[in-house]
Amino acid sequence: MDNLASQLQGLSLDSTTELPGLEDVYQQLVEVVQYPIVHVEAFRHLNIEAPKGVLLYGPPGVGKTRLVSTIASATNAALTTVQGPEIIGPYLGESEERLRAKFVEAREKLLKADVKASILFIDEIDSIAPKRQQGTQTNQASARLVAQLLTLMDGLESRGRLVVIGATNMPNVLDPALRRPGRFDREIHIDVPNQIQRRKILAFYTRKMTTNMLDLDILAEQTNGFVGADIAALCREAASNAISNRLLSKQSKAAVDYNDFKAAMKKVVPSTKRGLGIDVAQTQWSDVGGLEEVKLKLKQCVEWPLTRANTMKRLGIRVPRGILLFGPPGCSKTTLIKVIATQNKATFLSVSGASLYSPFVGDAERTLRELFRKARAARPSVIFFDEIEAMVGKRAMGGSGNADSVQERILSTLLNEMDGVEAADDVLVVGATNRIDMIDDALLRPGRFDRIIYVPPPDLQAREDILRIKTRSMPLDETVDIGGLARKTELFSGADIANLSREAAILALREGIDAQKVTMRHFEEALQAVQPSLKSDLMEMYRDMQSKYV
């Protein structure tokens, strides 16, 4: 027995070379498939039954199908594969007959002398065993197929030698009767690979490539949200890019370097971001004039949990769950978020009111839950809600009796996702608003939006910085006095200053198509046309908000 156990241990260690990043899951499957055979006397002595089934679930592309084929090959088990949709037949009872035939086929393989175990693998099991519901004829056909699968799994006689493995990326769609002990005894979750696992996967796919000074640690850090299939596609695109460069430069031998992977990242979209992808213009911290205190607070909340994670953990510092930026319109709140999206190494997801609202009841809440599910799968991640007050609103005291309020349902869903029973670690929610007074107080308490940051209008130094940023690509005449313009633009927001610079350039263009420079006179004329959007009464309102919420 000890000799067999040592052989099994050697098998479980040697066979993971084809499954980088899935070593733990592989070992769990080895226990289910091989332990009942190798340790059959121990099972009998302890009077326990071997597992009948295992359910593998996780996002698409993490390696569920590859894992099963590898485990079957490594353990010398006969593999019978069932593709969910191929079971469905057009005639009454045909689907159930096909399913029974697959179970018979898996049992017959056990009769071969060299086969000690048989695996029946049902891929995309959610397509043949969804939750049973009364209603249409389609639902009745599905219910009969689910009932047949339950009967077949309950009637397995070759227990310990025939194992049913199901794979799905939607476990909550499955009928609950399947997910009880005695059918699928064990459920194994395969998550999106973390940085260490991505490093192993990259090493696996680049092991036979000719590379040039390729740092896999940097690549693993920059491929957050990539699953195994995404990384395979990334390596393939990088190799194709290297070949194209070789043909253009007429080199004799192509070598893959970091630039090839950088080009490939523009083509390969991580699976966790598909359907939620946004195209954010590259923005640096230096593109935001002034707001040094706000920038520091954002770096502490967003960057430090990634770059100084060990230090924060050692000091017992809790990472904020949410950050809310509020302030007058045009004062760079969205621009600050663009910096976070492009400079931060976390997965960035954005949602707007237009994408959230739907004419169908429940669609908005489902979209929001799916957003958080993807964010948890691709953590660390940042979810951005722009104009958040328009999405969640504020509940009326005493109740309005309006049960149909979409805002209230979205608010309830957001409250549960941010601070509910389901863990949301490493998921940071960032909101931006001009009217914090229109946001429900339940969102503003610690544990949800922990940090409320006021983004003020630009002061004198900030206005000068913004003017320099907005005119750095503009040919300015030596008469242009940036400091003087900054003093003349009191109550101008950042957006107003950008508009002022654009108007001055247009005035120069109006004087002649061959205009070479923008002069101080053009800015003086532009000041007559562009009025500040921040009025005294508006700023008084924001001062009251600042004293109340910050």
Side-chain angles (χ1 to χ4, degrees):
M1 182 64 68
D2 292 338
N3 185 36
L4 285 172
S6 63
Q7 290 177 7
L8 175 59
Q9 184 179 11
L11 171 71
S12 64
L13 292 175
D14 294 340
S15 300
T16 57
T17 54
E18 296 295 317
L19 295 168
L22 293 174
E23 294 85 357
D24 293 340
V25 181
Y26 175 87
Q27 185 60 36
Q28 293 181 59
L29 274 181
V30 165
E31 295 175 6
V32 174
V33 177
Q34 281 283 24
Y35 278 18
I37 299 171
V38 175
H39 302 291
V40 60
E41 293 299 331
F43 273 79
R44 290 174 181 170
H45 176 71
L46 296 173
N47 193 28
I48 56 175
E49 294 183 335
K52 275 186 179 180
V54 181
L55 180 65
L56 300 177
Y57 66 96
V62 293
K64 299 184 291 293
T65 304
R66 181 180 184 139
L67 180 67
V68 174
S69 60
T70 303
I71 200 79
S73 176
T75 58
N76 197 28
L79 178 63
T80 304
T81 302
V82 179
Q83 301 294 338
E86 73 178 10
I87 291 295
I88 308 299
Y91 304 110
L92 186 65
E94 185 177 358
S95 301
E96 297 91 308
E97 183 181 355
R98 291 180 181 179
L99 188 60
R100 288 194 298 270
K102 287 292 183 179
F103 272 80
V104 170
E105 180 184 344
R107 281 194 293 266
E108 288 178 347
K109 290 181 179 179
L110 285 172
L111 301 177
K112 298 181 180 179
D114 58 338
V115 174
K116 294 184 178 180
S118 179
I119 296 175
L120 177 62
F121 176 49
I122 307 177
D123 202 4
E124 305 295 344
I125 191 173
D126 53 275
S127 64
I128 66 171
K131 291 179 181 178
R132 288 172 289 184
Q133 298 176 353
Q134 293 184 356
T136 64
Q137 184 175 354
T138 303
N139 289 334
Q140 293 174 5
S142 176
R144 289 196 301 271
L145 189 55
V146 173
Q148 179 66 83
L149 180 58
L150 296 176
T151 303
L152 290 169
M153 292 195 70
D154 285 339
L156 288 180
E157 298 175 355
S158 305
R159 199 173 185 122
R161 297 186 64 198
L162 174 58
V163 178
V164 180
I165 300 179
T168 179
N169 53 27
M170 296 186 293
N172 294 330
V173 174
L174 290 178
D175 193 89
L178 268 177
R179 301 180 66 181
R180 71 157 176 80
R183 285 158 185 165
F184 283 114
D185 302 88
R186 185 175 299 187
E187 296 186 1
I188 301 176
H189 177 51
I190 307 178
D191 210 342
V192 175
N194 57 31
Q195 185 173 334
I196 297 174
Q197 292 168 332
R198 293 196 299 271
R199 170 65 167 79
K200 294 179 180 179
I201 299 171
L202 282 164
F204 173 77
Y205 283 111
T206 59
R207 70 192 188 283
K208 295 182 181 179
M209 284 184 182
T210 303
T211 58
N212 181 22
M213 302 292 291
L214 192 61
D215 191 334
L216 296 182
D217 291 319
I218 293 178
L219 286 177
E221 190 176 8
Q222 295 179 345
T223 51
N224 186 53
F226 282 67
V227 297
D230 296 331
I231 294 177
L234 182 71
C235 294
R236 185 168 57 250
E237 286 291 341
S240 299
N241 192 73
I243 293 172
S244 299
N245 291 338
R246 187 201 68 177
L247 294 175
L248 291 174
S249 59
K250 298 182 180 179
Q251 295 177 355
S252 59
K253 190 175 183 180
V256 182
D257 58 18
Y258 174 74
N259 290 329
D260 294 316
F261 274 92
K262 192 173 181 180
M265 286 181 193
K266 297 178 181 179
K267 301 178 182 178
V268 179
V269 179
S271 296
T272 55
K273 298 181 182 179
R274 290 195 180 104
L276 294 169
I278 55 172
D279 186 13
V280 181
Q282 288 291 323
T283 313
Q284 313 286 333
W285 288 111
S286 57
D287 293 329
V288 182
L291 301 177
E292 299 304 325
E293 185 178 350
V294 175
K295 291 179 187 176
L296 178 60
K297 290 179 179 178
L298 284 176
K299 289 178 181 179
Q300 291 173 346
C301 296
V302 181
E303 289 188 356
W304 286 13
L306 298 174
T307 59
R308 308 182 186 185
N310 294 332
T311 303
M312 294 183 72
K313 185 176 181 180
R314 185 175 67 250
L315 296 176
I317 300 175
R318 179 181 173 274
V319 178
R321 182 66 56 83
I323 303 170
L324 181 63
L325 303 179
F326 84 98
C331 291
S332 304
K333 296 185 294 296
T334 305
T335 305
L336 288 167
I337 302 302
K338 289 181 182 179
V339 178
I340 293 174
T342 56
Q343 300 301 309
N344 194 22
K345 295 168 185 174
T347 302
F348 187 84
L349 304 173
S350 178
V351 63
S352 63
S355 63
L356 194 60
Y357 282 98
S358 167
F360 303 103
V361 176
D363 265 13
E365 300 93 303
R366 182 165 56 250
T367 300
L368 194 57
R369 289 193 297 269
E370 180 69 12
L371 179 75
F372 273 86
R373 186 191 66 78
K374 290 195 174 187
R376 282 189 288 267
R379 59 180 180 241
S381 56
V382 176
I383 303 176
F384 173 51
F385 293 89
D386 200 4
E387 305 293 346
I388 189 171
E389 81 283 353
M391 301 182 203
V392 296
K394 190 168 188 173
R395 292 173 289 192
M397 295 299 294
S400 62
N402 183 13
D404 191 41
S405 172
V406 180
Q407 281 190 337
E408 289 193 9
R409 296 200 303 270
I410 292 176
L411 174 62
S412 177
T413 304
L414 183 58
L415 293 175
N416 287 327
E417 291 292 345
M418 289 185 70
D419 193 28
V421 294
E422 190 167 0
D425 296 333
D426 297 327
V427 176
L428 177 67
V429 179
V430 180
T433 179
N434 301 327
R435 294 294 304 272
I436 190 173
D437 57 316
M438 294 177 63
I439 296 178
D440 196 87
D441 292 337
L443 262 182
L444 302 179
R445 72 158 178 79
R448 283 156 185 164
F449 282 121
D450 302 89
R451 299 294 301 273
I452 298 176
I453 301 175
Y454 176 61
V455 183
D459 56 18
L460 178 62
Q461 183 59 52
R463 294 197 299 273
E464 186 173 336
D465 292 343
I466 296 171
L467 278 165
R468 295 188 188 281
I469 292 171
K470 297 303 179 182
T471 60
R472 60 190 172 191
S473 59
M474 188 182 298
L476 296 180
D477 187 75
E478 59 185 13
T479 60
V480 176
D481 181 8
I482 297 295
L485 285 172
R487 287 189 292 273
K488 293 179 179 180
T489 52
E490 188 176 358
L491 291 181
F492 274 64
S493 67
D496 294 335
I497 294 173
N499 190 27
L500 175 71
S501 303
R502 184 168 51 251
E503 182 67 22
I506 291 175
L507 288 172
L509 185 62
R510 285 177 184 171
E511 291 185 356
I513 196 67
D514 298 325
Q516 298 297 316
K517 291 186 177 181
V518 181
T519 67
M520 187 65 179
R521 179 173 56 83
H522 297 131
F523 277 97
E524 295 284 359
E525 293 179 11
L527 279 170
Q528 302 300 318
V530 178
Q531 298 299 316
S533 60
L534 305 178
K535 308 301 180 182
S536 299
D537 55 344
L538 180 66
M539 294 312 303
E540 183 65 29
M541 182 184 73
Y542 277 105
R543 278 191 286 271
D544 292 341
M545 289 183 189
Q546 187 180 5
S547 62
K548 180 179 180 180
Y549 292 101
V550 179

